[in-house]
Amino acid sequence: MAVGPVEYLVIAFPGSRFTGSFAPALADAVSSGAVRPGDLAFVRRSEGGPPTQVELRELDPEGVVPAEAGQGVAAAELSAEDVEELGRSVPAGDVAAIVVREDLWTTELARAAREAGGAFVAHERLGAGGAGVGEAAGDDIIDRLERLAELWKREILTDAEFVEQKTKLLSD
């Protein structure tokens, strides 16, 4: 199975202020297909305690964010260990949304390029949060995942090797 570049966001909300303008914006992302319901997780971190998973309905009782999976499957199945690890970055007393997003349009593009004998030779994220042209890329998890995806796109890694290495990165 071909997988496009994957990124994740951990968005913390002080206390439990998840609702307001965030729930409708997240609902729009899910409705548009940019984020699939299976690519979402929510955690709460109590003072001095580990992060614990929270059900979406607890944070969004009105059901603004669609919780039913649409077509296709989740890009990244977040394990309990993944959620715990990512939840460690959440400040104590806060609730957080963990959003995993796969660049689905690049999956088909990469497949078509390989079939036509093409190879991706460069990929870089520009804009806020990413390294720009002429800037040194940090060694954060997103940069590491992007480098891994680049190796896969260039067929240096097989599909199985890519999935194995991605799983290791997300669980470290």
Side-chain angles (χ1 to χ4, degrees):
M1 173 174 79
V3 177
V6 175
E7 65 180 329
Y8 73 89
L9 303 135
V10 178
I11 307 163
F13 298 90
S16 293
R17 287 180 270 164
F18 171 81
T19 56
S21 61
F22 182 72
L26 184 56
D28 287 346
V30 171
S31 295
S32 74
V35 174
R36 293 170 285 194
D39 298 333
L40 300 171
F42 304 91
V43 296
R44 175 176 287 119
R45 185 150 176 242
S46 60
E47 290 291 334
T52 57
Q53 198 153 358
V54 178
E55 291 297 318
L56 173 60
R57 290 296 159 235
E58 181 182 333
L59 302 173
D60 179 29
E62 290 83 34
V64 174
V65 180
E68 298 302 315
Q71 295 181 351
V73 294
E77 294 288 330
L78 288 171
S79 68
E81 293 81 23
D82 294 334
V83 171
E84 182 178 341
E85 179 66 29
L86 293 171
R88 288 186 190 142
S89 62
V90 177
D94 289 359
V95 69
I98 300 172
V99 181
V100 176
R101 188 182 71 80
E102 177 185 2
D103 284 339
L104 296 172
W105 70 270
T106 60
T107 303
E108 180 59 26
L109 183 65
R111 185 198 59 72
R114 281 193 300 276
E115 286 178 0
F120 287 85
V121 295
H123 172 259
E124 188 169 341
R125 179 183 319 274
L126 302 176
V133 175
E135 296 177 34
D139 196 26
D140 66 7
I141 189 74
I142 293 173
D143 290 334
R144 291 165 53 198
L145 285 168
E146 288 176 340
R147 287 194 303 270
L148 183 63
E150 188 64 39
L151 293 172
W152 173 78
K153 288 178 197 174
R154 292 172 50 200
E155 298 184 347
I156 294 169
L157 294 176
T158 66
D159 289 351
E161 291 168 329
F162 173 78
V163 170
E164 177 185 346
Q165 293 300 317
K166 178 182 77 171
T167 301
K168 283 182 184 178
L169 282 174
L170 290 174
S171 66
D172 285 345

